[in-house]
Amino acid sequence: VLSGNDAAADARRGVRVGVLTTQTPHHARFVQQIAERFDLVRVFEERRAISADFETHHPFEDDRDAYECETWFAGASPALSDFAEVETYRDLNDAQAVARMRDAKVDALLVFGTGRLDQPVIDVVPERIVNLHGADPEKYRGLDTHLWAIYHKDFRGLVTALHRVRAELDRGGVVMKMPIPLERGMKLHQLRKANTDICVEIATQALDMLHNYGQFISQPQLYIGRYYSFMPAVLKSRCLRQFEAFTESL
C-alpha cells in the first residue's frame, strides 16, 4: 500500500511534461528537479543567439554561475542531457522543432528562458503551455526583469510568475506568483539560485493543479507592464550596490 506521499508522487508522474529552455546552470537544475517529480518526456533546447549592441556582461554573472554549480552540482557544470532526453534547435519556432513537440504528446509545456515563441508552438498545447517569468509581468515584461526591478529599487517586485504563453509577449493569464525569499546579507550573485528554487516550487504546484483539475487556472492580466530589453553592464553595477545595501538592512 502506498503512503500518502508516495501516492501523490505516483499521481504526479502521470503528467507528461516537456520543457523549452536553454543551457545554463539554473536551467539544468530546473530540468533535474522536474525530472525527479514528473514524467519529463523531453527537453527542447534553444540555441538562438540574441545579443545587444552594447556591453551587457558583468563579473557578478561569473560569480553567479560558479556559485550555482558549486551549490547544486559540487562544482560540476552539467548539461541538460544529464537529466533528460534533449533535442536541440537554433530556434524553437522552426517547423521541425514544432513537429517534434507535437510528436512528444505532452500534457503540458513549461517554458523557461527561451526567446519569443510564435503561434505554431503555442498551438501544440494551446491552454497548457506556461512560462516562468522573473518579476510581475503586469509591471515588467521582456528581459532582465529582476534586475530592472532592483534598478528601480522595487524590491517587492522580486517575485516569480507563471503565466500562460500568448503570442503577445508576457501577456498571458497569470497562474501563480510567488515572492523570492531574500535574506540578510544576501549577494546579488545568489539571487538567481533563490529564484530557480521558487520556479521549481511554482512549476510543481501548477502541474499538480493540472493533474487535479485538468487545467491551469489563471487570472487575466489587468495591466500591460513596461517592456524592458537587455540591461547594460554599467547599470548592473548599480543594481549590485542597491541590492546588497537593501539586504544588509533586512
Side-chain angles (χ1 to χ4, degrees), residues 105-117:
K105 300 187 186 306
V106 297
D107 298 313
L109 288 172
L110 303 179
V111 183
F112 192 8
T114 72
R116 182 191 295 267
L117 298 172

Side-chain angles (χ1 to χ4, degrees), residues 116 133 135-142 145 163 166-174 177 219-228:
R116 182 191 295 267
H133 177 74
D136 186 341
E138 291 185 275
K139 294 181 70 176
Y140 303 93
R141 298 164 56 233
T145 40
H163 65 82
R166 295 289 181 262
E168 188 178 1
L169 189 67
D170 297 336
R171 289 289 293 131
V174 176
K177 286 188 289 190
Q219 295 292 327
Q221 295 187 39
L222 301 179
Y223 306 99
I224 300 177
R226 177 179 172 183
Y227 178 82
Y228 290 86

Side-chain angles (χ1 to χ4, degrees), residues 192-207:
R192 193 172 74 173
K193 187 266 182 189
N195 173 61
T196 305
D197 293 341
I198 294 300
C199 287
V200 171
E201 178 63 25
I202 287 178
T204 298
Q205 290 188 26
L207 292 170

Side-chain angles (χ1 to χ4, degrees), residues 129-131 133 137 161-165 170-175 221:
I129 177 170
V130 288
N131 177 59
H133 177 74
L162 183 74
H163 65 82
R164 295 178 181 274
V165 177
D170 297 336
R171 289 289 293 131
V174 176
V175 178
Q221 295 187 39

Side-chain angles (χ1 to χ4, degrees), residues 20-31:
L20 280 57
T21 192
T22 61
Q23 176 64 59
T24 66
H26 73 301
H27 291 159
R29 173 65 172 183
F30 181 79
V31 166

